[in-house]
Amino acid sequence: MSSITAAATSAPGRFGERGYGGRYVPESLIPACQAVAEAFAEAWADPGFRGNLAALLSAYAGRPTPLTPALRLSAELGVTVLLKREDLTHTGSHKINNVLGQALLARRMGRTRLIAETGAGMHGVATATAGALLGLPVKVFMGERDIERQAHNVFRMRLLGAEVVSVTAGSRTLKDATSEAMRHWVTDADEAYYCVGSVIGPHPYPTMVREFQRVIGDEARRQCAADLPSAVPDYVVACVGGGSNAAGTFAGFVDTSAQLIGVEAAGGSGASHGAIGVLHGFRSLFLQDEHGQIQEAHSIAAGLDYPGVGPEHAYLRDLGRARYVTVADDEAIAAAVRLARAEGILPAIESAHALAWVLRAAGTSELPAGSTVLVTLSGRGDKDITTLIEEAQL
Amino acid sequence: MTKLLMPYLTGGVAPGWTAYLRAFEDAGADQIELGLPFSDPTVDGPTIQEASDAALTRGATPASILDDLAQARTSVPIIASTYANLALRKGFGEALTAAGVTGLIVPDLPLDEVDQLQVPGIAVSLLASPATPDDRLAEIGRRSQGFVYAVSIMGTTGERDRLAPSAATLAARLKQVTDLPVLIGFGISSPAQAAEAASVADGVIVGAAVMRRVLDGAGPTEVGAFVGSLRAALDVR
Ligand SMILES: Cc1ncc(COP(=O)(O)O)c(C=O)c1O
């Protein structure tokens, strides 16, 4: 845990005493990061920018998303399950919330093209979509292995006019796609805007992406206040890859009594099993060996196949404000099938991790009978049909 | 003043790798940049990525590389270079000192984060980029130790057909704000480019061009001859 030296905690973009976050980038990217930080601070304080974003989120992306009571599942489990339906947004996942914000910011900054990394392809599709909408060319970096297992999304990106660059280094998944996007960003830092897909990366990305995703938690908070006698659920659960849908969901409830649960893939459990380290521009918790080499993650969910976790999650974990648990591949597949059959909703395998924890914990001391639990369904499962055909054995 | 030549080598890249250090020394290297390979080298292009992978696949660790180095007893100063995740680990500074390393470069630890390094007695050299604004460049000049690493181009390490014009501009700007030697690195691929860079800077760092030869199977004598050709180009005045 403490195999690494301490960081100053007063600097901007730091979370907590251990100094998670920061800006560990080559000197060549410092001006670009500073420009994004300044532009975001100005834009976020500008009612005009917020108004434009709110208008796009509703008229284009379909917000607010419903809070759906999972009636049959609730009856079976003995806990009240409410689903925050990010799967119903345009493009089919929460990634669009962040991308519309960043794409508007890129345009405001006068940037002429977008670059992005993607794992499951949902962030890539969302970025390709925003690029088409705003007339910005898009280049998406994606691991070769993810290109194979998320072929459907690769085609969607190309259909939308984006260029998909196959990354063949290392584990050929999200970690390596992110490294390659950062390498490319250096070469085009004046013109291109790097649209990071989760609450990771150098400052200001972890904070900015959380702010763009907090619409999930803010809406859910209002919806819970209207729908629930207790106004606040007892548990708030979301899956964690880099941690953006969880960060956005938690942001709406961090000041309540709700217990916050982040669900990681068993093979990509940075928050649960990582040690403090630095990668991709930020200090946080990463799976690594005893020498400090980053380990490859292994998850059936490409979007959770990342060895680290966003810095704010590391901080929430240290504080004890959020708890991080893991779910194995087969539990996630089973949860996806169960939700499809019980409620007629096919979740992304990423999102199914959050639900799988609820299925496992319901009725135990971890999630006692009679509790109310909000689960963020971060995306829909259409992209995962090929994986489900192979794995679900129906 | 003679120009400084600092070839780079990825530690542990091949069995008997320290023989390259001796060959570089014999060929007239003033210092050697010794890469301690990291799993995710985000500042490196394909050649040094491949070299890092090769070393890690062979089982090289920072400790094993520093052990090999200590036994090699080279007399040329060794400057370690690695990534923040390895450089910030407890005991890293002591391990460098014990192996006789005198300097350190950490490309993903910029000015604002560099205070976190705990490497007493080791000269930490900072990198400056063509994108660095003037006030920051002056601060880099003040805070850097040993030399300042002028990154020639907005990009990663890797061979290039020609020296980017941004290299000369940056070197000239740096010379105005520091008395430390200014070394140009990233992309220098040939003796002619080395000479061109050294006409505006105090010397050059040559990485990918060396490592491509190593990866292609050239032994210490052959790669040493390449380093010698760089030396000769720098010494023509
Ligand atoms: C549907 C879905 N959920 C979750 C994630 C994980 O990302 P994050 O943890 O940033 O929400 C992804 C990432 O690709 C995704 O596509």
Side-chain angles (χ1 to χ4, degrees):
Chain A
M1 266 297 303
S2 58
S3 58
I4 194 164
T5 64
T9 53
S10 53
R14 293 287 181 188
F15 298 92
E17 277 172 18
R18 287 198 163 118
Y20 298 123
R23 195 180 270 157
Y24 299 82
V25 293
E27 179 63 27
S28 289
L29 287 177
I30 291 285
C33 291
Q34 286 172 341
V36 174
E38 280 164 29
F40 172 68
E42 276 176 31
W44 210 224
D46 173 4
F49 179 87
R50 304 225 7 184
N52 287 343
L53 178 57
L56 271 186
L57 286 173
S58 79
Y60 186 70
R63 303 206 73 89
T65 59
L67 191 66
T68 304
L71 296 177
R72 194 187 304 216
L73 206 59
S74 298
E76 287 171 12
L77 297 174
V79 297
T80 302
V81 180
L82 300 167
L83 303 173
K84 181 59 177 163
R85 300 291 306 281
E86 296 305 296
D87 60 313
L88 291 179
T89 56
H90 179 47
T91 71
S93 88
H94 69 293
K95 300 286 182 188
I96 193 75
N97 305 327
N98 167 44
V99 163
L100 288 175
Q102 289 200 54
L104 284 182
L105 187 69
R107 194 172 65 177
R108 183 181 166 109
M109 293 173 74
R111 297 297 156 101
T112 55
R113 37 187 180 258
L114 301 177
I115 55 183
E117 84 294 337
T118 198
M122 297 310 275
H123 176 61
V125 167
T127 308
T129 299
L133 177 70
L134 300 182
L136 297 169
V138 172
K139 196 190 280 261
V140 180
F141 294 86
M142 188 167 186
E144 194 179 39
R145 187 169 135 65
D146 292 338
I147 286 183
E148 286 160 17
R149 58 178 166 168
Q150 303 286 345
H152 183 107
N153 272 343
V154 176
F155 183 71
R156 280 172 83 193
M157 288 183 255
R158 293 196 170 129
L159 191 71
L160 288 158
E163 179 191 351
V164 180
V165 181
S166 171
V167 178
T168 54
S171 56
R172 300 175 293 125
T173 59
L174 181 55
K175 169 173 79 87
D176 308 284
T178 307
S179 296
E180 201 56 32
M182 293 187 74
R183 291 185 187 107
H184 179 77
W185 186 20
V186 178
T187 68
D188 199 15
D190 285 341
E191 287 296 320
Y193 177 93
Y194 182 16
C195 183
V196 177
S198 190
V199 284
I200 62 166
H203 177 65
Y205 285 96
T207 304
M208 174 169 70
V209 175
R210 179 203 65 215
E211 288 302 293
F212 286 142
Q213 290 293 4
R214 72 178 303 137
V215 64
I216 306 172
D218 289 345
E219 277 178 12
R221 175 85 178 267
R222 284 195 296 276
Q223 291 164 322
C224 287
D227 297 357
L228 290 179
S230 60
V232 174
D234 302 314
Y235 294 83
V236 171
V237 186
C239 69
V240 175
S244 68
N245 84 89
T249 305
F250 292 176
F253 295 92
V254 77
D255 62 347
T256 71
S257 60
Q259 295 203 36
L260 309 178
I261 312 278
V263 185
E264 298 186 288
S269 53
S272 305
H273 302 125
I276 298 177
V278 172
L279 182 69
H280 294 152
F282 65 106
R283 173 187 287 253
S284 189
L285 299 169
F286 295 93
L287 299 177
Q288 47 190 316
D289 71 13
E290 79 257 40
H291 306 291
Q293 307 297 352
I294 303 295
Q295 288 176 325
E296 294 180 1
H298 296 283
S299 171
I300 195 157
L304 306 185
D305 214 346
Y306 188 72
V309 67
E312 194 166 10
H313 288 292
Y315 172 52
L316 291 172
R317 189 202 74 159
D318 284 2
L319 283 180
R321 180 62 193 93
R323 197 157 81 81
Y324 295 84
V325 296
T326 64
V327 153
D329 288 354
D330 53 348
E331 289 180 274
I333 296 288
V337 174
R338 182 150 174 202
L339 187 68
R341 295 192 166 177
E343 305 289 341
I345 298 170
L346 176 61
I349 298 178
E350 288 77 10
S351 325
H353 282 71
L355 195 73
W357 178 79
V358 172
L359 300 182
R360 185 172 76 202
T364 72
S365 60
E366 282 191 284
L367 179 58
S371 318
T372 301
V373 54
L374 171 81
V375 180
T376 295
L377 270 202
S378 54
R380 66 178 189 227
D382 307 48
K383 71 181 177 61
D384 295 317
I385 294 296
T386 321
T387 307
L388 286 165
I389 290 171
E390 283 168 21
E391 301 288 333
Q393 294 170 346
L394 300 178
Chain B
M1 207 183 88
T2 64
K3 299 296 181 178
L4 296 170
L5 173 59
M6 178 149 99
Y8 163 96
L9 186 73
T10 301
V13 67
W17 63 272
T18 54
Y20 288 102
L21 299 180
R22 276 186 297 276
F24 295 177
E25 183 176 356
D26 293 346
D30 298 293
Q31 299 176 336
I32 297 173
E33 179 183 348
L34 176 62
L36 301 176
F38 179 49
S39 50
D40 298 83
T42 51
V43 184
D44 286 304
T47 305
I48 293 180
Q49 284 178 51
E50 188 185 333
S52 301
D53 281 350
L56 292 174
T57 304
R58 288 190 62 252
T61 66
S64 74
I65 291 168
L66 293 174
D67 271 358
D68 291 350
L69 176 69
Q71 279 164 32
R73 287 183 221 285
T74 48
S75 52
V76 62
I78 302 287
I79 316 295
S81 80
T82 195
Y83 284 81
N85 200 50
L86 299 181
L88 293 176
R89 289 171 73 82
K90 293 213 168 111
F92 185 71
E94 290 80 349
L96 293 183
T97 307
V101 170
T102 55
L104 177 63
I105 304 164
V106 188
D108 60 343
L109 210 54
L111 185 61
D112 327 74
E113 309 281 358
V114 77
D115 286 345
Q116 293 156 45
L117 275 177
Q118 290 172 6
V119 290
I122 302 278
V124 178
S125 300
L126 297 179
L127 293 85
S129 149
T132 307
D134 285 340
D135 50 344
R136 211 176 142 89
L137 204 67
E139 183 69 9
I140 287 171
R142 270 194 296 280
R143 298 273 299 277
S144 195
Q145 297 170 325
F147 64 92
V148 183
Y149 193 137
V151 174
S152 72
I153 193 170
M154 293 296 285
T156 52
T157 61
E159 290 175 275
R160 304 231 164 39
D161 293 340
R162 61 191 194 102
L163 188 69
S166 49
T169 315
L170 176 60
R173 289 172 63 214
L174 273 168
K175 292 300 288 174
Q176 288 178 357
V177 297
T178 183
D179 295 330
L180 291 173
V182 172
L183 304 189
I184 296 180
F186 280 42
I188 294 180
S189 308
S190 67
Q193 288 175 15
E196 188 188 345
S199 69
V200 287
D202 301 303
V204 295
I205 303 169
V206 182
V210 169
M211 291 316 297
R212 183 176 51 79
R213 288 169 168 81
V214 172
L215 291 171
D216 285 350
T221 314
E222 208 179 318
V223 185
F226 173 64
V227 172
S229 71
L230 296 168
R231 175 81 268 164
L234 294 180
D235 290 346
V236 174
R237 292 262 109 198

